[in-house]
Amino acid sequence: MDERINKLIDSWKKRNIQGLYCNNKEEAARKMLELVPQTASIGFSGSVTMDQLGIVKMLTERGNSVFNQYTPGITREENLRIRRLGTQADYYMGSPNAISETGELVFFSAYGNRISGISNARKVIIVAGINKITQDLDSALKRAREYATPLNCKRLEWNTPCFKDGTCHNDICLFPEYKRMCCQILVIEAEVAPERLKVILVGEELGF
Ligand code: SF4
């Protein structure tokens, strides 16, 4: 583990956030399964990182009750209802858009379930590849807005200006012309409840 990661985990400790390091996604998935009781209910926000870990499938298969808004065949209304229920589950999981070396965690959200779950669930496990680490909070916000969100819009085919050219046009990205993805922003600077928030940092590139 390099010095930069040691410092980041130390910084989290002072912010009441528990930082854990795993060498790869397989190790990270095992760690998540270990941290969550088999009887716990789970809510999550979808992300490429979570997909790469395959953690939702693993939790479902071993019998955890998972609020899965991506269950095939459900209506839009049901999808939104499950997102809301997921934020009240025993554990909430997700991945940030960026992490600053100084320890802040940045999440952008369209519907807000991710923000609600991460900021308020009883227990939270955040997972991220080291590619999401930036120098400071400003560059973390910049990464989320100018790099991660345009790629997410592309992936999910959202009608945004960045979907068209890969560049953020914040000033014109408004309704009804566009379906803006960056509607809410959460920056976690610290956590008041001990043991509530854990971050698993993975020593490889995951998501974007
Ligand atoms: S504000 Fe709009 S254009 Fe800019 S990154 Fe967000 S969704 Fe894309």
Side-chain angles (χ1 to χ4, degrees), residues 108 144-146 149-150 153 160-163 167-170 173 179-182:
F108 277 37
R145 174 92 72 193
E146 294 177 14
T149 307
C153 287
T160 58
C162 63
F163 170 70
T167 307
C168 176
H169 301 273
N170 193 358
C173 186
K179 185 183 175 190
R180 185 182 172 101
M181 185 179 272
C182 305

Side-chain angles (χ1 to χ4, degrees), residues 28-42 54-66 90-91 93 125:
R30 279 198 298 277
K31 177 56 76 181
M32 288 169 99
L33 292 174
E34 191 186 301
L35 290 171
V36 177
Q38 219 163 330
T39 50
S41 59
I42 317 285
I55 189 67
V56 171
K57 187 168 181 277
M58 289 179 200
L59 287 161
T60 307
E61 284 177 356
R62 79 166 191 181
N64 282 98
S65 164
V66 181
D90 299 324
Y91 281 72
M93 296 177 176
I125 301 176

Side-chain angles (χ1 to χ4, degrees), residues 123-143:
K123 298 271 185 188
V124 174
I125 301 176
I126 290 163
V127 61
I130 48 170
N131 50 311
K132 293 190 176 178
I133 302 173
T134 68
Q135 204 179 355
D136 52 24
L137 178 57
D138 281 349
S139 49
L141 289 165
K142 196 172 157 67
R143 181 188 198 279

Side-chain angles (χ1 to χ4, degrees), residues 75-107:
T75 61
R76 188 76 201 130
E77 212 169 86
E78 183 64 358
N79 172 299
L80 295 173
R81 193 181 75 87
I82 294 173
R83 283 174 196 259
R84 277 193 293 274
L85 288 173
T87 67
Q88 291 156 33
D90 299 324
Y91 281 72
Y92 197 82
M93 296 177 176
S95 186
N97 297 110
I99 297 171
S100 72
E101 273 182 25
T102 42
E104 292 96 344
L105 301 155
V106 172
F107 300 85

